[in-house]
Amino acid sequence: MAYNLEQLGPTGFQDLAAALTLQIFGPGVQVMGTGRDGGRDLYHKGLLIWQETEGQAGEAWDGYTVFQVKHKERLSGRPEDDATWLWTQVRKELDAWANSAKRRNPVPDFLVIITNIALTPVPAAGGHDWLNTQIQRYISSLEDDSRDVGSGEERRAKFARISRVRKWRLWDGNQIQSLLALYPSIRQAFPGFLTAADVFANLNEFTGSLPVGKLEPGLRAHARTTLMGEGTIYFDEAGSGDGSGLPVHRVVIDLPVTLDNGAKHGSVIQHVLDRGEHMLRPSLTAHGGPRHLIVAGAPGNGKTTISKFLVQAYRATMLAGASDLSTEHRDVIAGVGEALQRFRRALPRHRRWAMRIDLAEYAHEHGFEEDSTLIRYIAERVSKRSNLGTITPTALMLWMRRWPWFLVLDGLDEVTDPTVRKRLIERVTELVTNAEADDCDLLVVLTTRPIGYTENIAPTQFERIDLDYLEPGQAIHYGTLVTKVWLRNDLDRIDRVVRQLKKAAEDESLRNLLRTPLQVLIMSIIVGSSGRLAPDRFSLFWGYYETVFRRERDKQTSFNRILQDHGHQILQLHERIGFELQARSEAGDRSNATLTHRELMDFTWAVLEDAGFKPSGADAELRANIVAAATRRLVLIAPRGDEGYGFDVRSLQELMAAMHLTTGTPAAVTKRLRMAAPSPHWRNTWIFAAGRLFSTPQSHQHETLVDLVESIDEGACNRLGDLMPIGPRLALDLIDDGMARALPKWRDRLIACGLRVLYEPTPPDLFLITRVLLRFADTGEQQRKAVAEGLRDALGGPLTARATAQTLQSWIPDVAEEIRARSQIRGLAKVLKRPGDHLPPSPPDGWADFADEIATHPISVDVFDKVTKAVQAIRQIRERGWNEQEDDEMVVDQHELIAIVAALADDQGARALSAALQHVVAHEPTLVSMLRDNVLPVIHRAAVGDLLR
C-alpha cells in the first residue's frame, strides 16, 4: 500500500521523519520541533551507523549529522519539476551554511535530506542521481577560481565552510514508503495522517487485532449523526424561528488567548489545532511539556461554541471523502472547511476521532457512582447515537490505543458539588494518566470559568490557557458576522447595526461591553431593534430581554395580547425558573438542571395564584397561554428534548436568578447577597444582582451594596474571612463590570477595597487581577492615581504585600501592551513606596500565641476534639510547606482537609481557629496560600441555593 505523504503536511511529515530517524538511529537523534531551527530539523552528534540496504552500502559516520526535512504539499505530476523544487530548497540551505553572515554554526559534517518527493531512480538521468550531482557541483563551484572578480576571498570563505560537509544522503518518498513498510509500529502511529480518504473503510490497515467489523459501523454512524446533531448553537433571535439553532461554523470566531501566565499570546483555535497536528503517541511525540489543555474563560466568552467547533473540525476531516454521506453531511463539512479558511487553516491533517462531553450532564447521570468512568460514559453515548447496538468500553479502549483521539470535556465550572467535582477530576486525571501509560495519542481539552477553578488539575499533563477579551476590531468583526446570520438579507439593518457597533467601540463607556462574543451578539440584537445601550452587563442583558419582549408584544400574532396584558407574570415566571434552575444545578446530581413540563406548569400556576388569578378554574387557559408565550415566542426558556425545559444560555439563567435574588425588602436582599457571595457557582448571578441595584438611581441601594462588599468578611469565621477575604475580589469584579464607572463616590470605595488583594500572598489569579487594575487605571487619570497609590501602600507594607505588588508590577508591561493602554499606564510598573515610609519590621513568630489561643478559647469538650484535629492538620500543612521545594506541587491531604472543614463548620471551632491563625498568618505566607487555595474552595462551594429561597 502506498501512503499519501502529501496529506501529512509539513508538520506531520517532520514528525514522521523524526519517528523514523529515532527508530533507526536511536535516542541520540535530537528533534528540534517547530520554530527557527538554524537549518536543523533533527541532528545527531557522534557515531551514526548506516546498515547495508539494497543498492546502498553500509557505513559509519562519526561527527555532526544534520537531518533536513523538505515537504511539498502538492506534487506537480512531473517528476523533473518536483526534483527541481527540491533542489531549490536544498540550495537555499547550502547557501545559508556557506555564508558566515547567516551564523549557522557549526556546519555539519554529514547531511541527510528527507523529502516526500519520490525521485526517479534511473541511473545518471533520474532525479535521485541528478540531485546528488547538483549538490556536488555546488560545492565544486565554490572551489573554482576561474570566475573570480577581485581577490576571491568571499568565495574561498564560503568553500572553507561548505567543504566541511563530507557526505550526504537522500531519503526520498520511495525510501519513506519502504521504511513505513519495514516499521509497522511507526506506520500505525500515524493513522490519522496516512489513511486513505474514507477513514472508516480503511480502519483495518491501522487497527490490527481490533474487531473492526463490530466497531466500524458504530463509529461511522456516530460520526455522521453527531456531525449533524451536535454542531449547533442555540441563541436564535427570539421568536424568529423554530428553535433549531444555528450551525456553529457559521458564527464561530477564533478567540484571543493568553499562554504561559501572560508570557505569550495567540488564538484558541490555532493553538488547539496546532497542538493536535503536532501531538503523537507519548513514545514518539517531539512535544515537550504538558500534553492536554485547560481553556479558562469568563461567562459568555465562547467556550462552548469553540469546543463544539473544534469537535466539528475533527469530525469533518474524519468523514471527508466518505462515499455514504448525504448532501447535508457534505454541506456541513464544506461549511466547516470555509470557517477554517477564515482563520487561514485547512481541515486538520492529523485525523482524530472526536468526542465532546458535557460535564454537567455526566455529573448529573453518573456523578455519585463510584465505578463510573469517562470511557464507560463515552461508550454509552456512542451506542445511543449510533443506534447499531452496544459499543463496549473495552472496544473503545482498544480503539483509543490504535487511533488518535480528540476529547473535549466542557463545563467543569458547572459541576459545583465538592464531592462530585472531586470525583470528576479524579476521573479526568485517571483517563489521561492511563492513556499516557498505554501510549495513546489522546488530546484532551477541558473548559471552565476561571472563578472557582483552584484545583490546578494534573499540572504535568494539562497546560492552562486563558481566553482574553475581544479587541474592539475583533468584536466588530464578530458582530458583523452574527448580524449577517440573523438578519440574513436585510442589508439596511445590517449596515445600521455595524455602524452602531463601531460607535460603541469608540465610546469609552460602552467599549467594555464588547468584550465577549455573547455580549456582542446581544448588543447587535438590541441595536438591530433600535434599542438603547447602557454601559454595564446587567443593563445589557436586561436590555436584551426588554428588546425581545417589546418586539414580540408589538407583533400581530396570537400571543401579543398575552404579552401585553401579562408581561409582569411572564417576567416573574422567568425569574423564578432562573433561580430554581440555578439552585438545582448547584446540587451534585442535578448539574444539568431542567424543569419537566409538569413543573413548568406548576410554576406558572404559582405565579398566577400570587397575582390573584384562578389557575385551577377560570384562568386555566391563561396558564397554558403564558407557558406557550414564554417557550415559543421569547425562546429564553427552551425545550431540551426529553429532559424538559431550561435556559440555552447560562448567563440568561443567571440574569433571571439575579432578578429573583434582588426582589424583596432591602434587608432580605442584603441577606441573600451575603450568603451567595462566597460561592463561585453564584458569582455571575451575584454580579448581575449588584448591577441591578446600581442600575437604579437609588443612592441608598448603592451605599448598601458597597457597605456589604466592604464588610462581607467581618465575622465570617467559618470561611476565615478576616484572614483570607473575598471582599477585594468582589470589589474588583464590580469595578471591571463597569456598573460604578460614572459614580466616583462608589467607584473610589470599591477600588480601595479591591486593592486590598495586594496584601495576600501571591494569589494564583494575580495575572487576571493585573488586567482588571490596568483596565481600570486606563479609564482616567484619577483612576490611574488610585492604582498607583494602592501599589505604593503595598510596597511600603508587610513583606507579603511587597512581594505580591512586585510580582504584579513585573506583569504590567505585558498586560499594558495586551490591552493597548496609554503610555502612562506602563509607568505603574516603576511605582515605588513613598520615600518617607519605613518598612514594617518582620512579624514575630506567633506559634506560641497560636497555641495559647487554642488552649484558652471558650469551646465545649466535643468541639475541642474537632479543633485539636484541625490544629494538627494545620501544623502538618505548615511543616510540609517548609520542607517542599519551590517547584513542588503543594496540596492538602484529604484527611487534613476533612479535619479543618469539620472544625470550621462549627461556630465555636471556627472562631477558635480564626483567632488562633491571626497570630501566624503574617509570617506564614505558604500556609495561607495552601489554606486559601486548597481548603477554602471546598467551603465556598457548599450549596446555598436552599438558603436563598
Side-chain angles (χ1 to χ4, degrees):
M1 177 179 178
Y3 302 105
N4 186 351
L5 301 179
E6 290 69 63
Q7 183 171 289
L8 285 126
T11 299
F13 186 72
Q14 182 168 327
D15 286 336
L16 177 63
L20 287 169
T21 53
L22 285 165
Q23 176 73 39
I24 294 169
F25 300 115
V29 175
Q30 301 298 309
V31 180
M32 296 301 292
T34 57
R36 298 182 64 179
D37 54 25
R40 305 170 300 167
D41 293 316
L42 310 99
Y43 70 89
H44 182 278
K45 292 182 178 179
L47 187 64
L48 202 68
I49 303 296
W50 290 92
Q51 300 295 329
E52 182 177 357
T53 61
E54 184 178 350
Q56 199 156 28
E59 60 180 326
W61 288 0
D62 194 1
Y64 176 44
T65 303
V66 165
F67 299 80
Q68 264 287 329
V69 182
K70 300 297 176 186
H71 181 269
K72 191 169 190 238
E73 293 197 56
R74 292 182 178 85
L75 300 184
S76 67
R78 287 169 48 88
E80 57 269 30
D81 292 344
D82 294 329
T84 299
W85 176 89
L86 179 58
W87 165 238
T88 301
Q89 301 300 308
V90 172
R91 177 166 184 145
K92 289 178 182 177
E93 301 294 343
L94 295 175
D95 285 342
W97 272 309
N99 188 349
S100 61
K102 296 293 186 181
R103 297 183 179 178
R104 279 195 179 181
N105 294 307
V107 176
D109 302 303
F110 306 99
L111 179 62
V112 181
I113 305 297
I114 305 176
T115 181
N116 65 310
I117 293 173
L119 298 171
T120 52
V122 180
H128 191 279
D129 284 1
W130 177 80
L131 191 63
N132 274 319
T133 300
Q134 292 300 109
I135 295 173
Q136 184 59 62
R137 283 178 179 172
Y138 177 92
I139 297 173
S140 298
S141 70
L142 292 175
E143 189 178 15
D144 183 5
D145 61 2
S146 63
R147 295 188 227 171
D148 283 351
V149 177
S151 66
E153 183 179 347
E154 181 180 348
R155 175 192 55 77
R156 287 194 298 272
K158 288 184 176 181
F159 178 70
R161 288 177 61 84
I162 204 64
S163 61
R164 298 175 197 169
V165 179
R166 289 182 267 162
K167 290 186 178 182
W168 59 88
R169 286 200 181 202
L170 303 176
W171 276 5
D172 71 335
N174 297 316
Q175 178 78 356
I176 298 299
Q177 297 282 356
S178 299
L179 291 172
L180 286 173
L182 186 62
Y183 299 108
S185 63
I186 300 295
R187 183 178 75 248
Q188 291 174 0
F190 287 79
F193 282 121
L194 296 174
T195 309
D198 190 342
V199 171
F200 293 105
N202 292 273
L203 288 183
N204 194 55
E205 170 65 25
F206 289 91
T207 52
S209 61
L210 192 65
V212 174
K214 297 180 180 180
L215 187 60
E216 184 270 333
L219 294 176
R220 182 191 292 272
H222 176 266
R224 287 192 314 222
T225 303
T226 53
L227 181 77
M228 302 303 300
E230 294 184 6
T232 307
I233 58 170
Y234 296 92
F235 197 95
D236 294 345
E237 181 190 11
S240 67
D242 58 5
S244 59
L246 294 169
V248 67
H249 59 259
R250 294 183 62 191
V251 295
V252 69
I253 62 168
D254 199 2
L255 300 172
V257 290
T258 295
L259 316 168
D260 295 342
N261 257 334
K264 299 178 184 177
H265 299 280
S267 62
V268 62
I269 290 176
Q270 301 282 1
H271 189 73
V272 174
L273 291 181
D274 283 345
R275 178 68 59 91
E277 295 290 79
H278 210 59
M279 195 67 64
L280 299 171
R281 297 179 180 277
S283 62
L284 292 174
T285 188
H287 175 79
R291 180 183 187 90
H292 310 289
L293 295 168
I294 292 173
V295 178
N301 222 2
K303 297 181 294 297
T304 294
T305 299
I306 288 290
S307 71
K308 285 189 172 185
F309 177 75
L310 287 167
V311 169
Q312 284 294 88
Y314 279 107
R315 284 178 181 148
T317 201
M318 281 285 281
L319 287 167
S323 58
D324 55 348
L325 299 177
S326 68
T327 301
E328 288 78 10
H329 288 125
R330 293 189 174 91
D331 287 345
V332 171
I333 292 170
V336 171
E338 290 168 3
L340 285 167
Q341 287 176 8
R342 296 201 304 266
F343 314 137
R344 299 181 180 178
R345 303 271 324 193
L347 287 172
R349 295 177 183 273
H350 192 10
R351 288 181 281 190
R352 296 176 176 275
W353 184 73
M355 189 76 185
R356 176 180 170 273
I357 299 297
D358 185 319
L359 291 178
E361 290 183 9
Y362 171 75
H364 174 67
E365 295 179 26
H366 297 287
F368 284 103
E369 296 176 9
E370 289 283 353
D371 60 347
S372 173
T373 68
L374 284 168
I375 288 292
R376 183 172 298 165
Y377 181 65
I378 293 169
E380 291 175 11
R381 292 282 305 278
V382 174
S383 300
K384 288 178 182 178
R385 297 306 297 267
S386 64
N387 201 30
L388 289 171
T390 300
I391 303 291
T392 67
T394 301
L396 273 188
M397 282 300 301
L398 290 171
W399 171 234
M400 186 165 67
R401 290 171 188 161
R402 296 285 186 171
W403 191 271
W405 276 32
F406 177 68
L407 179 62
V408 170
L409 305 175
D410 191 24
L412 176 64
D413 53 287
E414 296 190 48
V415 181
T416 58
D417 180 276
T419 302
V420 174
R421 186 180 175 96
K422 178 177 178 293
R423 185 172 293 131
L424 173 59
I425 291 171
E426 288 173 351
R427 296 294 175 264
V428 173
T429 305
E430 173 187 278
L431 174 71
V432 297
T433 53
N434 286 343
E436 181 180 26
D438 291 337
D439 202 29
C440 299
D441 185 357
L442 169 68
L443 175 59
V444 175
V445 173
L446 184 148
T447 73
T448 185
R449 290 181 180 180
I451 293 176
Y453 175 68
T454 61
E455 289 87 356
N456 194 24
I457 298 171
T460 60
Q461 296 275 9
F462 282 93
E463 171 197 3
R464 172 172 167 172
I465 62 176
D466 287 272
L467 292 174
D468 293 343
Y469 287 140
L470 295 174
E471 296 274 345
Q474 294 170 318
I476 293 169
H477 169 71
Y478 179 68
T480 303
L481 182 69
V482 294
T483 300
K484 287 179 178 178
V485 171
W486 70 270
L487 288 182
R488 298 178 178 89
N489 298 318
D490 192 340
L491 300 182
D492 289 339
R493 286 180 71 193
I494 291 172
D495 182 63
R496 185 172 71 245
V497 170
V498 173
R499 280 190 281 109
Q500 289 296 320
L501 290 176
K502 289 180 178 177
K503 285 185 178 179
E506 296 170 357
D507 187 324
E508 179 66 37
S509 64
L510 296 176
R511 192 180 303 144
N512 70 307
L513 296 182
L514 292 169
R515 291 177 176 175
T516 71
L518 179 58
Q519 290 174 200
V520 173
L521 174 59
I522 288 177
M523 284 184 74
S524 71
I525 292 173
I526 292 174
V527 300
S529 302
S530 301
R532 296 178 62 237
L533 297 172
D536 65 273
R537 285 176 65 250
F538 168 80
S539 298
L540 177 69
F541 281 75
W542 175 241
Y544 170 74
Y545 177 85
E546 288 189 313
T547 297
V548 171
F549 183 87
R550 185 168 55 247
R551 187 184 59 240
E552 295 306 310
R553 182 194 61 198
D554 295 342
K555 286 181 179 178
Q556 294 304 310
T557 68
S558 59
F559 289 102
N560 71 326
R561 189 58 183 266
I562 292 291
L563 295 169
Q564 180 176 315
D565 293 347
H566 300 286
H568 183 67
Q569 285 76 44
I570 290 173
L571 174 59
Q572 279 194 318
L573 180 63
H574 279 82
E575 292 175 3
R576 293 191 186 190
I577 291 175
F579 174 81
E580 180 65 25
L581 293 179
Q582 186 69 9
R584 287 188 185 186
S585 62
E586 192 177 26
D589 60 343
R590 308 186 76 173
S591 298
N592 189 39
T594 56
L595 292 178
T596 65
H597 182 74
R598 177 74 259 167
E599 288 176 316
L600 180 58
M601 294 293 285
D602 289 345
F603 270 98
T604 310
W605 189 95
V607 167
L608 289 174
E609 186 180 51
D610 287 349
F613 292 95
K614 307 296 183 185
S616 298
D619 299 313
E621 185 178 355
L622 175 61
R623 177 171 63 154
N625 287 337
I626 285 179
V627 168
T631 57
R632 296 181 194 173
R633 299 310 302 173
L634 300 184
V635 198
L636 301 187
I637 303 169
R640 286 190 174 179
D642 297 334
E643 298 173 355
Y645 293 84
F647 286 82
D648 280 324
V649 179
R650 185 177 168 196
S651 289
L652 293 175
Q653 172 181 300
E654 291 166 326
L655 171 75
M656 291 301 167
M659 296 287 289
H660 185 77
L661 281 185
T662 50
T663 299
T665 65
V669 169
T670 302
K671 182 179 179 182
R672 292 188 200 124
L673 292 180
R674 186 177 292 276
M675 288 181 188
S679 171
H681 178 74
W682 289 90
R683 180 60 57 84
N684 200 40
T685 301
W686 200 96
I687 296 170
F688 274 135
R692 186 188 187 191
L693 297 180
F694 259 109
S695 69
T696 59
Q698 301 289 330
S699 184
H700 69 278
Q701 288 189 174
H702 305 164
E703 183 163 17
T704 298
L705 182 65
V706 175
D707 285 345
L708 175 63
V709 172
E710 291 173 332
S711 65
I712 196 133
D713 296 300
E714 295 175 5
C717 298
N718 66 309
R719 55 177 175 82
L720 302 178
D722 287 341
L723 310 176
M724 300 158 212
I726 63 167
R729 282 176 178 74
L730 285 176
L732 292 177
D733 284 340
L734 303 192
I735 284 288
D736 202 39
D737 182 88
M739 64 184 72
R741 178 186 298 271
L743 300 169
K745 178 179 180 180
W746 314 119
R747 179 198 70 202
D748 293 348
R749 285 174 59 181
L750 287 172
I751 192 61
C753 179
L755 285 163
R756 284 165 32 202
V757 76
L758 298 176
Y759 289 79
E760 292 184 20
T762 304
D765 56 347
L766 187 58
F767 182 79
L768 302 180
I769 291 168
T770 308
R771 277 184 181 162
V772 173
L773 291 176
L774 264 60
R775 280 196 293 262
F776 173 76
D778 198 38
T779 59
E781 183 57 21
Q782 291 301 315
Q783 292 88 321
R784 187 197 66 81
K785 288 181 178 178
V787 174
E789 291 305 306
L791 285 169
R792 286 193 183 92
D793 289 341
L795 291 167
L799 181 61
T800 296
R802 298 200 299 272
T804 298
Q806 288 165 358
T807 302
L808 185 148
Q809 285 184 299
S810 71
W811 280 330
I812 285 176
D814 288 337
V815 174
E817 181 178 356
E818 173 198 324
I819 68 173
R820 300 183 182 181
R822 295 174 293 133
S823 58
Q824 298 95 315
I825 302 305
R826 291 169 172 78
L828 292 171
K830 299 180 180 179
V831 166
L832 303 173
K833 74 177 185 69
R834 296 178 186 84
D837 287 354
H838 296 288
L839 295 178
S842 298
D845 186 305
W847 284 103
D849 292 331
F850 174 94
D852 288 344
E853 191 74 55
I854 294 296
T856 59
H857 204 89
I859 51 178
S860 60
V861 174
D862 57 327
V863 175
F864 183 77
D865 182 56
K866 293 180 182 177
V867 171
T868 300
K869 291 179 180 178
V871 167
Q872 183 180 6
I874 288 170
R875 290 186 179 277
Q876 289 171 344
I877 293 169
R878 184 252 185 181
E879 290 301 319
R880 194 162 60 252
W882 273 102
N883 293 331
E884 289 183 348
Q885 299 297 314
E886 183 177 346
D887 294 334
D888 289 344
E889 182 187 1
M890 293 183 292
V891 296
V892 173
D893 177 85
Q894 184 68 14
H895 298 293
E896 296 166 348
L897 176 65
I898 292 171
I900 297 171
V901 170
L904 291 175
D906 184 279
D907 286 342
Q908 290 183 15
R911 286 195 294 271
L913 285 181
S914 180
L917 285 168
Q918 289 279 5
H919 299 290
V920 298
V921 292
H923 62 87
E924 294 286 357
T926 301
L927 173 63
V928 172
S929 297
M930 293 179 74
L931 292 175
R932 178 194 63 199
D933 301 337
N934 292 276
V935 176
L936 293 188
V938 175
I939 296 171
H940 293 164
R941 288 195 188 100
V944 295
D946 288 339
L947 301 175
L948 302 175
R949 296 184 187 278

